[in-house]
Amino acid sequence: MTTTATTSMPPGPSVPRFLQTLGFILAPARFVDACRRRYGDVVTFSSLFDSGFVMVFEPELVKQVFRGSPEVLRAGEANAVLGPVVGDRSVLLLDGAEHLRERKLMLPAFHGERMRAYEEVIRAAADRSIDSWPLGEPFTLLAQMQSLTLDVIMRAVFGLDAGPRQEELKARIRALLDPVASRASVLMLALSRGRVGAGAGRRFEQSRQALDELIYEEIARRRAAEDLEQREDVLSMMLLARDEGGESMSDRELRDELVTLLVAGHETTATGLAWAFELLLRTPRVLERLRNELAEGSDDYLEAVVKETLRLRPVIMGVGRVVRGQPFELGGYEIPPGVEINRREDCYPDARAFRPERFLGADVPDTYTWLPFGGGTRRCLGASFATFEMQVVIRRVLERTRLAAVGRRPEKGVRRGITFVPAGGVRVRLAAPVAEGSPGSGIDAKARALSR
């Protein structure tokens, strides 16, 4: 890091900002990859929603960004576009001491041992989803996974059992999130930094107020619950949490963190699961090995499958930092204050192949070449929960069903809100349901012959 300007900004495309914006909205992966091949491992972009930002690809430089001072590299400021949805007290938007305080208050709810207590909740949600799948008729897995992960959020985070109140909360969540998931809404939010477009729309405001009303009611109900200290859901744990000064989280903080968990832990995990099944169904070798190793009682390959899915099909395309206070030296360039730095990491042998084996053995990818959940003090609080949930769901689907992909062409990825999703939703067919927990069951790669 330095305060003397000695080098210019990194090179980048000279095409108009409007065309670069279209590239990021319509075909982000192809556009970014093409620029990387032409300009190198540090590239400057310019778009309608940011007049100048830098994207980093080389792992050592990515490491430098994540290890940089949080006072100079502001992650919260880089997430400002999410403000209209998650709220300005969200851990995603906070920086410095405020961020560390909020993170410490939330962290105990995601401790490894406590996370394991949610396994039965996840398995039961998977069973309910599987039981609803039509036999022999095509359906989209993405929609099913979205419903499944929302069900898990209702029980593990909010502590709500099935019933009218849970269904009403689900409906209000979808009413808020669905309209802002389109490309047009993302563009409007980005162009205005959250001030116009979906964020200022009357319908959006009404949906947000309706959801907030129910969330604040639930916070009040839970505060008054006699069994608060015995409950294991995330909301109850956050209500009991205290900072170093003995202060608890305010209702506003609780609201913003609950919505943050909805946004970060619902759509993203569902998308990761959909991509996992898309890749498994189209890679018989990997599918067969996974099925065999699970039958032998080993989860090592399952963990590798989840990691490789998130590497090959990252749900979030980039994580940003905004430079503040003083310039930041990066790769021989000096990034001035006000410029955002994003990271992308895809430096792998045979990078486009689905090879979970790369995450097994001693020579696994370096930490800073695989960062689906960010890193350092900004690492996603729910990272362990998300990967654990993916493992439980994949295992359960393998135990109970035989799926076949519908169609011969692999799914392409498209931008939906802040996530990168399968364009067709991963269309599959349930070939033959099997007895619950039956040995030797699983996704049948040969059933692809039934594909249309």
Side-chain angles (χ1 to χ4, degrees), residues 105-111 114-115 117-118 121 151-161 218-219 221-223 225 227-241 254 258 261 385:
L105 287 168
M106 298 177 67
L107 195 57
F110 297 96
H111 188 273
R114 185 165 295 278
M115 178 189 69
Y118 301 135
V121 170
D151 194 3
V152 172
I153 290 284
M154 290 297 99
R155 294 166 187 267
V157 175
F158 284 88
L160 291 177
D161 293 326
E218 194 57 38
I219 291 172
R221 283 161 53 98
R222 193 62 52 81
R223 281 192 191 278
D227 64 344
L228 176 61
E229 295 188 3
Q230 284 73 52
R231 297 179 67 96
E232 294 187 336
D233 56 88
V234 174
L235 170 57
S236 296
M237 292 198 66
M238 289 198 299
L239 280 165
L240 293 169
L254 288 165
L258 287 170
L261 292 173
F385 185 91

Side-chain angles (χ1 to χ4, degrees), residues 21 23 128 167 194 207 212 224 229 254 275 282 313 335 440 445:
T21 304
R128 285 190 292 273
E167 291 305 313
S207 296
D212 287 356
E229 295 188 3
L254 288 165
W275 278 124
R282 299 188 187 279
R313 297 289 186 269
I335 315 302

Side-chain angles (χ1 to χ4, degrees), residues 434-445:
V434 296
E436 187 172 336
S438 173
S441 62
I443 299 176
D444 189 355

